[in-house]
Amino acid sequence: AEKVLGYDLLSLCLEGPRDALDRTQHCQPAVFVASLAAVEKLNHLQPEVVERCVAAAGYSVGEFAALVFAGALGFAEALYAVKVRAEAMQKASEAVPSGMLSVVGRREANYKFACLEARKHCESLGIENPVCTVSNYLFPDSRVIAGHLQALEFLRENARKYYFKHTKMLPVSGAFHTRLMEPAVEPLAEVLKSIEIQKPLLCVYSNVDGKKYMHSKHIQKLLVKQVVSPVLWEQTMHSVYERKQGTEFPYTYEVGPGNQLGAILKQCNLKAWKQYKHVDALEDEEAVET
């Protein structure tokens, strides 16, 4: 990874500084590499789990790791694509003061209406073509809304009006998965054209539509589209765990930093979550085995 990126990713992950690691240009390659490192660890501890795996999905940049795991992309080439994506998204973020707001809403919450009113508020401030839209579907009653900072501030101030129980600004530099990321589309499209993409050896689900990738051209097209499209994670969870009544749920492993996807799975499908485990690249091996 260090050869591809041109900096010492390992020491950045282990020693920081934290604010440098949080910058999207470093954070995306770090998540990608740490996810695949966790896969290697799982393969070392329980090779049968990796051999029997039938499906994979990755959240945002994690999709690149899922595709490497499924044999569709090579590690070094995918990491280079992630580097280009991360740097282009960082640059797009710096062009417009924007961000992302995590929202847990009541049943009555109408996210589209709230975003519409936030955009109107921005227009009243003289912002042309304001962006405020749902960028991530996490689980029932939870969304991430992304766009101009003024729009997000408006939503926080009026949270009660829109039946938002809880709002929290995310520590990111821009409105990912919205049209504010359009400047990142072309650089990523160019690099993906130069990479050999194979048909995945197992099912990989796309963030863009929650469905399985079909072939290499499909992967190339949707990975580019993903940058400016909402992450349909909740919908993906329904696709992955759809079962006939009485069919057992598979074992699910979250590989990589943090266990947020496990927390989301618990909210989406409690029965599937009961077969869930988290594998971090760092934990000591005894803890995983016990």
Side-chain angles (χ1 to χ4, degrees), residues 12 16-24 26 90:
L12 183 62
R18 181 81 218 203
D19 57 341
L21 189 57
D22 277 345
R23 281 175 71 81
T24 205
H26 298 134
Q90 181 80 43

Side-chain angles (χ1 to χ4, degrees), residues 12-258:
L12 183 62
C13 285
L14 296 176
E15 293 148 33
R18 181 81 218 203
D19 57 341
L21 189 57
D22 277 345
R23 281 175 71 81
T24 205
Q25 71 188 71
H26 298 134
C27 185
Q28 290 188 32
V31 168
F32 169 83
V33 173
S35 300
L36 289 167
V39 171
E40 285 299 324
K41 178 173 176 177
L42 181 60
N43 193 28
H44 171 69
L45 295 173
Q46 293 174 278
E48 70 285 354
V49 168
V50 174
E51 282 158 26
R52 289 186 196 152
C53 182
V54 290
Y59 186 95
S60 192
V61 72
E63 203 156 275
F64 285 82
L67 286 162
V68 170
F69 171 68
L73 299 170
F75 171 75
E77 290 176 320
L79 178 58
Y80 182 67
V82 166
K83 175 183 190 284
V84 169
R85 177 186 189 266
E87 286 168 0
M89 285 170 78
Q90 181 80 43
K91 203 170 162 190
S93 299
E94 286 161 5
V96 177
S98 57
M100 302 180 84
L101 181 72
S102 171
V103 177
V104 177
R106 299 188 191 284
R107 283 287 147 91
E108 309 92 310
N110 183 334
Y111 301 94
K112 276 192 175 149
F113 176 66
C115 289
L116 175 68
E117 293 219 320
R119 288 197 297 273
K120 283 182 179 164
H121 167 72
C122 286
E123 283 167 357
S124 76
L125 299 176
I127 296 169
E128 286 180 25
N129 276 335
V131 171
C132 182
T133 183
V134 173
S135 62
N136 306 71
Y137 292 81
L138 301 180
F139 55 85
D141 306 322
S142 180
R143 307 275 184 274
V144 175
I145 293 174
H148 282 81
L149 285 180
Q150 296 90 332
L152 304 182
E153 199 46 55
F154 172 83
L155 291 177
R156 294 191 80 183
E157 284 167 12
N158 294 280
R160 288 182 68 174
K161 178 185 173 183
Y162 301 116
Y163 301 102
F164 294 169
K165 281 194 289 196
H166 181 71
T167 63
K168 183 186 170 203
M169 288 298 291
L170 297 180
V172 295
S173 48
F176 304 148
H177 304 290
T178 72
R179 64 179 168 82
L180 288 175
M181 290 295 117
E182 271 169 5
V185 165
E186 200 48 45
L188 180 59
E190 280 305 306
V191 77
L192 287 173
K193 273 182 205 160
S194 68
I195 289 176
E196 197 178 336
I197 303 174
Q198 309 285 347
K199 190 175 188 294
L201 300 170
L202 49 103
C203 297
V204 180
Y205 290 82
S206 164
N207 288 180
V208 172
D209 58 10
K211 294 176 182 160
K212 296 169 192 171
Y213 279 115
M214 305 312 288
H215 49 76
S216 57
K217 277 274 177 272
H218 193 212
I219 292 170
Q220 187 182 337
K221 185 178 150 192
L222 290 190
L223 281 180
V224 174
K225 199 175 172 188
Q226 191 228 52
V227 173
V228 289
S229 303
V231 173
L232 304 187
W233 192 256
E234 183 186 338
Q235 296 84 332
T236 301
M237 292 298 91
H238 293 315
S239 298
V240 171
Y241 296 105
E242 205 174 1
R243 302 245 163 323
K244 286 196 183 83
Q245 201 80 36
T247 313
E248 281 195 13
F249 282 95
Y251 288 96
T252 298
Y253 294 82
E254 179 173 1
V255 283

Side-chain angles (χ1 to χ4, degrees), residues 34 38 41 254-258 278-283 288:
K41 178 173 176 177
E254 179 173 1
V255 283
H278 175 234
V279 183
D280 196 317
L282 267 184
E283 281 174 350
V288 175

